[in-house]
Amino acid sequence: MSRRYLIAGNWKMNGSLSANAVLLSELSLQQDQYSGMDRLVCPPAPYLESVERQLGGGILLGAQNLSDQTKAGAFTGEVLGDMLVELGCRYVIVGHSERRALYGEDDATVARKFAAAQAAGLIPILCVGETLEERESGATEAVLGRQLGAVLAASGVGAFAKAVIAYEPVWAIGTGRTATTEQAQTTHAFLRGQLAAQDAKIANSTQLLYGGSVKADNAASLLSCDDVDGGLIGGASLKAAEFLAICAAAQALSKN
Ligand code: 13P
């Protein structure tokens, strides 16, 4: 397996100019320790420009959301993909469960945002995940198949040559409860299988991240699953020591 590990911090709606400066100065230490994997931070949109200025070359920048529009215009409050690129973003999260649940983003909206991200030259991190009720009723694969299927139908499997998928079980987000390594591996293998049914080569190269209460003390076991290629980290990405320990776990497992 030649997939690189990607450890991505989703800061969600947290931070301030002063808190970001402290966090970034700590994250920028000893960059050369992480040469075998990629590190990414996704701050709130208003901080992208200042975070970009403070990032040491080794850390990549991403956004948490973008408009589904592909051209500038009268869309009050929205952020165009091209604007994120101009600020130095390489990645953008789309379809996070908080956006699906709290802001009414349905599969069709997420599929449009995924396409808009790629149209701007951004790498979308497509989030998929089931609720606890869905898992307990045995609907996990149906839900994930539907969420991923909407994007496959709209953009085609070829789009996943330049995309990342994040499996984030809703019941594990911010709860301190993580998927077991077996649940993570089984679910990631299912997602990779969905891609492989259409294109085995692309399926083999697409990075699949796990997200949901990843911490320094559970990162190594989750990351050691064959089909887990990194993490999408919420709470622990706001603490430099935790985030760096997760990165170190990825680096230690890295083949590069
Ligand atoms: P936590 O790591 O805080 O559970 O959040 C996960 C997440 O939602 C990342 O996008």
Side-chain angles (χ1 to χ4, degrees):
M1 180 196 92
S2 59
R3 295 182 297 268
R4 270 171 86 81
Y5 281 105
L6 172 64
I7 302 295
N10 174 9
W11 293 5
K12 306 193 179 183
M13 197 175 72
N14 292 291
S16 65
L17 289 172
S18 58
N20 299 349
V22 173
L23 179 57
L24 291 166
S25 70
E26 290 169 3
L27 290 185
S28 299
L29 298 173
Q30 297 165 316
Q31 300 273 17
D32 51 352
Q33 281 186 15
Y34 307 100
S35 56
M37 42 86 62
D38 292 322
R39 293 182 296 161
L40 168 69
V41 292
C42 301
Y47 297 130
L48 286 167
E49 189 174 6
S50 73
V51 168
E52 207 275 333
R53 267 190 273 111
Q54 293 169 78
L55 283 175
I59 303 179
L60 301 162
L61 185 67
Q64 298 174 16
N65 186 25
L66 84 168
S67 169
D68 64 351
Q69 299 294 320
T70 53
K71 288 199 179 75
F75 302 100
T76 302
E78 292 294 298
V79 176
L80 184 67
D82 292 349
M83 298 172 183
L84 299 175
V85 170
E86 203 174 16
L87 294 182
C89 290
R90 295 263 300 276
Y91 291 81
V92 62
I93 298 169
V94 299
H96 192 281
S97 64
E98 288 152 16
R99 298 220 51 89
R100 292 179 191 260
L102 304 173
Y103 299 98
E105 292 192 10
D106 59 12
D107 290 333
T109 306
V110 174
R112 283 196 306 278
K113 290 190 173 197
F114 181 100
Q118 290 197 325
L122 292 160
I123 299 172
I125 300 176
L126 171 67
C127 297
V128 296
E130 81 289 1
T131 63
L132 187 59
E133 197 184 4
E134 288 163 343
R135 175 159 283 270
E136 287 178 344
S137 66
T140 299
E141 293 192 352
V143 170
L144 300 181
R146 192 201 73 223
Q147 292 173 337
L148 178 57
V151 175
L152 280 168
S155 290
V157 71
F160 285 85
K162 288 192 177 154
V164 175
I165 299 174
Y167 168 54
E168 297 208 309
V170 176
W171 46 271
I173 295 177
T175 59
R177 179 176 172 190
T178 35
T180 63
T181 50
E182 196 192 342
Q183 286 170 327
Q185 171 54 30
T186 305
T187 312
H188 280 227
F190 167 76
L191 289 167
R192 200 177 301 286
Q194 295 292 106
L195 298 179
Q198 298 192 25
D199 190 317
K201 197 160 162 237
I202 286 178
N204 196 41
S205 67
T206 305
Q207 288 169 310
L208 303 187
L209 314 185
Y210 169 79
S213 297
V214 179
K215 305 272 184 301
D217 61 7
N218 59 24
S221 59
L222 287 161
L223 292 171
S224 63
C225 298
D226 281 353
D227 286 299
V228 176
D229 310 314
L232 184 53
I233 321 296
S237 73
L238 299 170
K239 298 178 195 140
E242 281 278 321
F243 190 69
L244 289 178
I246 296 166
C247 294
Q251 173 67 30
L253 290 162
S254 167
K255 309 269 187 307
N256 299 301

